Amino acid sequence: MPAPLHEAHPSSPGRRLPDTQQGMRRRNLARVMHTVNAEGPLSRAAVASQIGLTRAAVSTLVDELIRSGLLEELGPERPGRVGRPGSALAVSGRGPAGIGAEIGVDHLAVCAVDLRGAVRARAVRHGTNRRRPPQPVVAELSALVEQVVAKAESEGLWPAGLAVAVPGLVARDARTVVRAPNLDWHDIDLGALLPAELALTVDNEANFGSLAELWLRDDTPLDFLHVSAEIGIGGAVVVDGCLLRGTRGFAGELGHVPVRPEGPACACGGRGCLEQYAGEEAVLRAAGLTPGVDRVDVLAGRAAQGDEEVRRALRDAGTALGIALTGAVNLLDPQAVVLGGALASLAPWLLPSLERELEQRSAGRACAVRVSRLGPEGPLLGAAHSVVRAVLDDPAAVGTRA
Amino acid sequence: MPAPLHEAHPSSPGRRLPDTQQGMRRRNLARVMHTVNAEGPLSRAAVASQIGLTRAAVSTLVDELIRSGLLEELGPERPGRVGRPGSALAVSGRGPAGIGAEIGVDHLAVCAVDLRGAVRARAVRHGTNRRRPPQPVVAELSALVEQVVAKAESEGLWPAGLAVAVPGLVARDARTVVRAPNLDWHDIDLGALLPAELALTVDNEANFGSLAELWLRDDTPLDFLHVSAEIGIGGAVVVDGCLLRGTRGFAGELGHVPVRPEGPACACGGRGCLEQYAGEEAVLRAAGLTPGVDRVDVLAGRAAQGDEEVRRALRDAGTALGIALTGAVNLLDPQAVVLGGALASLAPWLLPSLERELEQRSAGRACAVRVSRLGPEGPLLGAAHSVVRAVLDDPAAVGTRA
DNA sequence: CTATTTCGTCATGGCGCTTAACAAATTAGT
DNA sequence: ACTAATTTGTTAAGCGCCATGACGAAATAG
């Protein structure tokens, strides 16, 4: 089995996979896939000029990718210009599929995404998973996965891997859920509970959500700060198209950034953390609702109806978010801040105060704040797409199961 | 099997330098240089096993590097083990040299560093540059550069490039000083004022300082947050051995992270920015000294003598730093925080309160705080080394001027 | 003194891209 | 309508670069 590709930061010292001819081939296969995927149907000649190889070289690469079922020949292009028209190539709609799954507090969801990014199958089960033990939950999830895989296979796809988004911290092995407070799970190895046929990746839902934002929108910048609020306040930092994970995998923890250093005590040991002002519990309480009974979605409803108490609570949360984000923006200088997850639906009431803080504190050069269009779909889609990206990143690694 | 998510660089779309055989060769030359540089004198066989190529391949690479004057053959290794002893290879001490320069508020400095990292020549001129126009300052700097280059050449070195550290913001062209408040320079193109023979790079002193920290210490982690205080409070974020610059090059601006959102107004438009508590001016004032007359170095002296007013001012600054750093550490999860520049000498009085804030607010999992050993030398050394790194990163790019 | 181990080099070969030439398919010009 | 020009995709030859395998050289172990 070939080792995963590693892109060369020349600065990092010696120990890396050798730069051999096979590696070069694999990287060029990946470049062809990425180019065709990103730039829509393209002729071999167009691909060649895009990636800087000759037409001859691209021809052999494309042949190999077509034989593997990863690319498809759509037929001759409509000739608009002088010269022989090219033959349009597209990423295959009947090759490998990425299976994404989400373990939410109130639902389970699974979907299959093809190489083109289209969702080809889905399955959802509603019902709370709060404090349910892992085994039955994962058993239900497995059943949904089977359904979705069956549907995908009936459409000529084959599953290339399974990625699971969970509302909690995941170990660096990408299999073990270290801590999921809302599920009350601790050190659960999902690899042992899920069918072993599929290559498995587990990650935090906020991470998958931010990757979805990165991959699924044409105009999303390569440097941004993604803020969501499912459990606590999950941030994610994307730099140059890469998710920043931190040494222990904790990067992006916006919830415990100090907002008012002498503010109310927080469970983390600090005082005045963002979570004390913009966390689900704090906002519900400030809005006169009951945490644990009411949930975030109630807020959007009440606010839309004009409930002034709720609106004030959201304004204050926006202010606190703005203060915390000012620090983050100063530190990272991203192209944009993206509000995702539950925050997306609350954006109309959060944004004004949030943006005001950000602008006042940034001397005019504030960075853009955007609202995710994906909203709560982000983590699931991000998970499925992560499998697809892995195929695009190393097409040679997937078997020729066409 | 899907590749781990964090390796994602191939994800960034098509347009990159083509993966051709020459590119492969160049990358392998770089890998040999990096390995020999990092692991001390090494035989060809040792290099081969380190980077995963065959001895034969490494032999041809080494030959080429020796012909270019970048590597040297030291002679047979002392045979400790069975078998024919290898021939020790070392980075050349008589090849290219990196010329580093620093434009400080109170001094100019230039040095030459060889590929081994040894400083082979230096020149300094003391005297304030506050509000002096750029032309005479740069003329003096050019004279120092000439001196240093002459000295280096007399030792068999040749200058591979010039890197200049400035106390201000530098445009992305790496030539133009956009704004240097303490010098009162605005939009100065240093490329036009310096001799054109040498390849020029200009960057912020905090950036070079953090790179020095990364490159010059054996035990420095690859992910850290560097904090210095020359102009304002310059931070720098290093992730995976790469300096994070941000979209506009502003990344690392720690000075305007909000510490107390309702605190004193700041020139940036915000309130309670870190600079209001831990900036040079604020600390001097809190210590009963006069900003503009006294400077940072006075603080260390007074504090060492036991001046309680100064010590309290530094404790408070440490607290503010701790609060701001808590946010940054939460967001980035670095391996360590490094205090550099002027902060290094003040560390004894800053650290206790700084670490206390960090620990209390991080629920036990606080990240390590270290003090730079480089101190004020950081920017100059970082500049010179940046030229050296450029040679190591692409040995084929330097002419065979041996 | 011989067997063994390791190093560096050489000749051979395979792999992957480039170069150059060509047939095919279209547009532009007369 | 017919030719010239242009662009595409393929093919064969060539070259660069690394791998393989064999060899002599230089050390240790017995």
Side-chain angles (χ1 to χ4, degrees):
Chain A
M1 172 179 45
L5 285 184
H6 217 333
E7 202 54 30
H9 272 294
S11 304
S12 59
R15 227 167 240 308
R16 240 188 2 253
L17 82 163
D19 234 316
T20 170
Q21 293 184 113
Q22 287 98 26
M24 185 170 82
R25 181 80 177 169
R26 281 169 61 178
R27 282 188 298 273
N28 281 334
L29 287 168
R31 290 162 55 96
V32 170
M33 286 302 291
H34 269 111
T35 306
V36 173
N37 179 58
E39 316 279 332
L42 240 48
S43 69
R44 289 166 175 76
V47 172
S49 76
Q50 282 256 338
I51 65 178
L53 296 180
T54 59
R55 298 197 308 269
V58 169
S59 269
T60 73
L61 290 164
V62 165
D63 284 352
E64 190 173 333
L65 290 169
I66 288 179
R67 273 199 308 278
S68 309
L70 300 180
L71 282 186
E72 272 177 8
E73 195 130 25
L74 296 183
E77 283 177 327
R78 203 174 321 289
R81 301 174 312 281
V82 57
R84 168 179 166 179
S87 171
L89 298 169
V91 163
S92 170
R94 293 193 359 189
I99 312 296
E102 182 181 12
I103 302 178
V105 176
D106 294 317
H107 74 294
L108 299 175
V110 178
C111 74
V113 168
D114 65 20
L115 284 184
R116 292 176 178 165
V119 176
R120 301 286 289 274
R122 0 182 25 137
V124 187
R125 193 195 62 71
H126 290 284
T128 186
N129 299 314
R130 231 177 249 275
R131 301 179 170 273
R132 281 181 73 199
Q135 287 77 11
V137 175
V138 176
E140 285 181 11
L141 190 72
S142 296
L144 294 181
V145 167
E146 258 174 58
Q147 271 179 247
V148 165
V149 167
K151 177 84 189 316
E153 281 175 340
S154 78
E155 298 196 21
L157 295 163
W158 57 269
L162 170 64
V164 183
V166 297
L169 223 61
V170 177
R172 302 211 68 152
D173 65 359
R175 289 171 47 119
T176 308
V177 179
V178 176
R179 188 161 48 83
N182 289 0
L183 300 172
D184 203 29
W185 290 8
H186 298 275
D187 296 305
I188 307 298
D189 178 7
L190 291 186
L193 300 175
L194 282 163
E197 304 97 67
L198 284 173
L200 176 67
T201 316
V202 183
D203 202 350
N204 180 285
E205 61 177 7
N207 285 343
F208 277 133
S210 65
L211 289 173
E213 205 62 39
L214 172 68
W215 291 328
L216 266 59
R217 289 190 50 177
D218 299 337
D219 56 341
T220 302
L222 254 51
D223 290 78
F224 67 94
L225 194 57
H226 189 254
V227 189
S228 58
E230 312 292 336
I231 32 130
I233 294 167
V237 181
V238 174
V239 175
D240 198 25
C242 287
L243 181 63
L244 198 147
R245 292 181 175 274
T247 3
R248 291 164 299 190
F250 297 165
E253 271 297 320
L254 216 57
H256 299 284
V257 170
V259 170
R260 290 183 230 279
E262 280 86 29
C266 176
C268 77
R271 308 188 70 88
C273 300
L274 176 60
E275 209 161 282
Q276 299 300 313
Y277 302 97
E280 176 174 354
E281 196 182 319
V283 175
L284 285 171
R285 191 162 290 146
L289 302 172
T290 322
V293 177
D294 298 308
R295 294 224 51 219
V296 183
D297 40 5
V298 181
L299 288 171
R302 295 274 179 101
Q305 289 160 20
D307 183 325
E308 199 42 54
E309 197 177 1
V310 169
R311 286 194 176 180
R312 192 179 50 244
L314 290 175
R315 269 201 304 278
D316 291 347
T319 301
L321 269 169
I323 293 169
L325 285 174
T326 299
V329 167
N330 264 292
L331 196 64
L332 298 172
D333 186 24
Q335 253 176 292
V337 170
V338 179
L339 298 186
L343 294 183
S345 58
L346 299 175
W349 302 281
L350 292 169
L351 269 184
S353 52
L354 193 164
E355 284 186 309
R356 199 185 53 232
E357 285 304 316
L358 208 51
E359 273 162 28
Q360 279 185 359
R361 295 176 185 278
S362 311
R365 53 185 178 78
C367 96
V369 181
R370 297 181 179 197
V371 180
S372 166
R373 284 200 220 108
L374 272 37
E377 291 280 280
L380 180 63
L381 292 174
H385 274 266
S386 77
V387 177
V388 168
R389 300 304 284 206
V391 174
L392 296 177
D393 283 351
D394 192 2
V398 312
T400 313
R401 275 200 258 177
Chain B
M1 158 147 51
L5 294 175
H6 45 279
E7 324 232 22
H9 248 1
S11 308
S12 52
R15 225 165 242 306
R16 240 193 358 259
L17 76 164
D19 235 315
T20 170
Q21 293 186 118
Q22 288 99 26
M24 186 170 80
R25 181 79 177 169
R26 282 168 63 172
R27 281 190 298 274
N28 281 334
L29 286 169
R31 291 163 55 105
V32 170
M33 286 301 291
H34 269 112
T35 306
V36 173
N37 178 59
E39 318 278 333
L42 241 48
S43 68
R44 291 168 174 77
V47 171
S49 76
Q50 283 254 340
I51 65 179
L53 296 180
T54 59
R55 297 197 309 267
V58 170
S59 268
T60 71
L61 291 165
V62 166
D63 283 353
E64 189 172 334
L65 291 169
I66 289 179
R67 273 199 307 278
S68 311
L70 300 180
L71 282 185
E72 271 177 8
E73 194 129 27
L74 295 183
E77 282 176 329
R78 203 178 327 287
R81 301 175 311 282
V82 57
R84 167 179 167 180
S87 172
L89 298 168
V91 163
S92 171
R94 295 193 0 189
I99 312 296
E102 183 182 12
I103 302 179
V105 177
D106 294 318
H107 75 294
L108 298 175
V110 178
C111 74
V113 168
D114 65 21
L115 284 184
R116 293 177 178 164
V119 176
R120 300 286 291 272
R122 351 181 36 132
V124 186
R125 194 196 61 72
H126 292 284
T128 187
N129 299 313
R130 232 176 249 275
R131 300 180 172 273
R132 283 181 72 200
Q135 287 78 9
V137 174
V138 176
E140 284 181 10
L141 190 73
S142 297
L144 294 181
V145 168
E146 258 173 59
Q147 269 179 249
V148 165
V149 167
K151 176 84 188 317
E153 281 174 341
S154 77
E155 298 196 21
L157 296 162
W158 58 268
L162 171 63
V164 183
V166 298
L169 224 62
V170 177
R172 301 210 71 150
D173 64 359
R175 290 171 45 116
T176 307
V177 178
V178 177
R179 188 161 48 83
N182 289 358
L183 300 172
D184 203 30
W185 290 8
H186 299 273
D187 297 305
I188 307 298
D189 179 7
L190 291 187
L193 299 176
L194 281 164
E197 304 97 66
L198 286 173
L200 177 67
T201 317
V202 182
D203 202 349
N204 180 286
E205 61 176 8
N207 285 345
F208 277 134
S210 66
L211 290 172
E213 205 62 39
L214 171 69
W215 292 329
L216 265 58
R217 289 190 50 175
D218 300 337
D219 56 340
T220 301
L222 255 51
D223 290 78
F224 67 94
L225 195 57
H226 188 254
V227 189
S228 58
E230 311 292 337
I231 31 130
I233 294 168
V237 182
V238 174
V239 175
D240 197 27
C242 288
L243 181 63
L244 198 149
R245 293 181 174 276
T247 2
R248 292 163 298 191
F250 297 165
E253 270 296 320
L254 216 58
H256 298 284
V257 170
V259 170
R260 292 182 227 279
E262 280 87 28
C266 177
C268 75
R271 308 188 71 87
C273 300
L274 176 59
E275 208 161 283
Q276 299 300 313
Y277 301 97
E280 177 175 352
E281 196 181 320
V283 175
L284 285 171
R285 191 163 288 145
L289 301 173
T290 322
V293 178
D294 298 307
R295 293 225 51 218
V296 183
D297 40 5
V298 181
L299 288 170
R302 294 273 180 103
Q305 287 161 20
D307 184 324
E308 198 44 51
E309 197 176 2
V310 169
R311 288 194 176 179
R312 191 177 53 244
L314 291 174
R315 268 200 306 275
D316 292 348
T319 302
L321 270 169
I323 294 169
L325 285 175
T326 298
V329 167
N330 264 292
L331 196 64
L332 298 173
D333 186 24
Q335 255 177 289
V337 171
V338 180
L339 299 186
L343 294 183
S345 57
L346 299 175
W349 303 281
L350 292 169
L351 269 185
S353 52
L354 193 163
E355 286 187 307
R356 200 185 52 232
E357 285 304 317
L358 208 52
E359 273 161 29
Q360 279 184 1
R361 295 177 186 278
S362 312
R365 51 184 180 77
C367 95
V369 181
R370 295 181 181 196
V371 180
S372 166
R373 285 200 221 108
L374 271 36
E377 289 279 280
L380 180 62
L381 292 174
H385 274 266
S386 76
V387 177
V388 168
R389 300 302 285 206
V391 174
L392 296 177
D393 283 349
D394 193 0
V398 312
T400 313
R401 272 200 259 177

